[in-house]
Amino acid sequence: MNKIKLLAEDTVRKIAAGEVINRPASVVKELLENSIDAQSQKITIELKQGGKNLIKIIDDGIGMSRDDVRLAIQRHATSKLETIDDLNTLKSYGFRGEALSSIAAVSRLKIETNHDDKMAGTALSAEDGEIKEIKEIGRARGTTISVQTLFYNLPVRRGFLKSDSYENKLILETVSAYAIAYPAIHFTVIADGKEILNLARTESSKERLKLFLDKSVFLNLFEFRYSNPMLSFFGFISAPETAKTFYELQQVFFNLRPVRNRTVVKAIYDGYSGTLMGRNPNFVVFLETNPQNLDVNIHPTKNEVKFTDERFLFDFVSEAIRKTLGVQKRAEISEDTMLFQRSLMDTEEIGTGFWQLHSSYIFAQIQSGYCIIDQHAAAERIIFEDVLKKDEKVNTQGLLFPIVIELTPEEFSVYEETKETLSALGIETKVFSGRSVVCETIPASTALNKQDIKEFFVELTKIDKEQLSHKEEIAKQIACKGAIKANQRLSQPEMEALINKLFACKDPYFCPHGRPTIIKMTRDELDKKFGR
Ligand code: ADP
Ligand code: MG
């Protein structure tokens, strides 16, 4: 007797269904995509018990004829693809003809549909993937699909579903993504008789974002658009200052498909470079490319896609983010610089300039309100950019009394590894004898003393080997040790020089570790606080 047997058809169907449909949210995703593919203007979703007992989706799209509905619930039945080459020009979400057959295999399914208002519509019900009844009904053009008791015939899988509220939350996340991509579609979600989302059609994705983001995050979104023959990249990213430990929304669309794409997400974080300090930004970004550059067939639920040139994708995205944040900053910088110059003129007339608070913060009046500068962070930024100047030799100061320090074996081995970089960054050294090292020059923008240099080497031993090969990493440490400290009194000219140098930096708003250098407070905010 043969050990190998062909599986029964309904077993095959259930196994295949399991790949596409794993919880109520995945049913909602597939049905939403079908309604959007059918050019619907209005889509309503009704849920019972987190979609476990009912998911009903009502649309006003192109609908189906009686013959089409019969076919729709069979495997590999689709109106969207004829040959594999059609994938190169694919505009629809669907193409595998798997969703309705999968849902039919694991639920009690009802379809009511009509493709022509002048004719009768069709109602079909199915159980275990088989048609139980099909009849004529009256229905306006469009389709209603009801999915009852999901996984009633797969009790183990049904048992894995979570609480109603958790399943509802996942469904809402799914609906939100499509609602952002399709602002012109009216979406409604009703859960256990209660309307939990009602998004009337609107002009732009941005209007929709207002509903999903905290107000301060929304008001500080940067909108951008970059294009090249391969790729268009546009969307919204949050200002680094508004980033928090947890983000509210991070959504990537590729050809309007909500996808998870590690390359894009990594590239976005890379574009923010040092400004996040472990916090997470909000972003909603859209990538568009010719369908032939995008493989949408690598994942059963089509949540993941693959672009032909991932390296190019990474570089393009990170550069676009960098530019967006940079452009925005340059505009702010020139505004702030002007405000400072004007307020300096003012102060030359009321006699007082900057105030130093607690010998650590500089307090300055500007036209629109006031700002506070962290003197240490500001000095760090200035030194960091100074020692990393491209194509220019770092200005150094020769030390009249060279600093001699005695290094531990560990520090000495780090020293040997980094001495070339140190010299490129303005610290010229020589070995004096044994593990004694002489520092002959330091960067002109610093006031490094013996204690600072000793601490500097201690810090270097804490950096891991791979990081140590990065010039920026070492520059950060020089900046940190060489910067004026907190608790140091500064004269008026010293404060003014510091602020002027800060605004001459490329990236004045953050220290090299990503902490803010300046906090601004507007008169409006002050007035509000005082209840004016
Ligand atoms: P696919 O979307 O990959 O084609 P599905 O199983 O999701 O496969 O759907 C099968 C077919 O049923 C679709 O190709 C489409 O012709 C039809 N269909 C499904 N849902 C709708 C709908 N809401 N409105 C109109 N036609 C639909
Ligand atoms: Mg589909």
Side-chain angles (χ1 to χ4, degrees), residues 34-35 38 59 63-64 72 77-80 94-100 143:
N34 282 344
S35 293
D59 74 38
M64 286 175 270
T78 178
S79 56
K80 302 168 193 172
F95 58 85
R96 294 199 196 117
E98 265 180 353
L100 286 185
T143 304

Side-chain angles (χ1 to χ4, degrees), residues 84 176 239 346 394 452 456:
I84 196 71
S176 309
D346 288 352
V394 181
D452 297 330
F456 168 71

Side-chain angles (χ1 to χ4, degrees), residues 307-403:
F307 185 66
T308 45
D309 186 344
E310 294 272 315
R311 183 73 233 175
F312 170 79
L313 178 65
F314 182 91
D315 291 344
F316 190 70
V317 168
S318 69
E319 186 55 26
I321 299 293
R322 229 186 310 282
K323 272 196 221 147
T324 305
L325 297 171
V327 167
Q328 202 69 33
K329 270 195 214 130
R330 266 196 297 284
E332 268 182 51
I333 293 161
S334 59
E335 181 202 346
D336 283 346
T337 319
M338 260 166 46
L339 291 176
F340 266 116
Q341 276 155 4
R342 247 188 271 154
S343 53
L344 275 179
M345 267 162 40
D346 288 352
T347 50
E348 268 162 29
E349 285 162 23
I350 48 166
T352 48
F354 304 107
W355 284 11
Q356 200 186 16
L357 302 180
H358 301 294
S359 302
S360 300
Y361 298 104
I362 302 168
F363 195 100
Q365 177 183 316
I366 53 174
Q367 204 82 356
S368 60
Y370 70 87
C371 68
I372 305 173
I373 293 147
D374 178 326
Q375 66 189 42
H376 175 69
E380 274 188 309
R381 163 55 60 184
I382 295 164
I383 296 170
F384 181 71
E385 291 199 10
D386 182 61
V387 296
L388 282 175
K389 261 190 293 199
K390 279 223 175 72
D391 316 316
E392 251 178 85
K393 227 186 122 26
V394 181
N395 276 330
T396 56
Q397 40 180 315
L399 294 172
L400 199 54
F401 303 103
I403 297 170

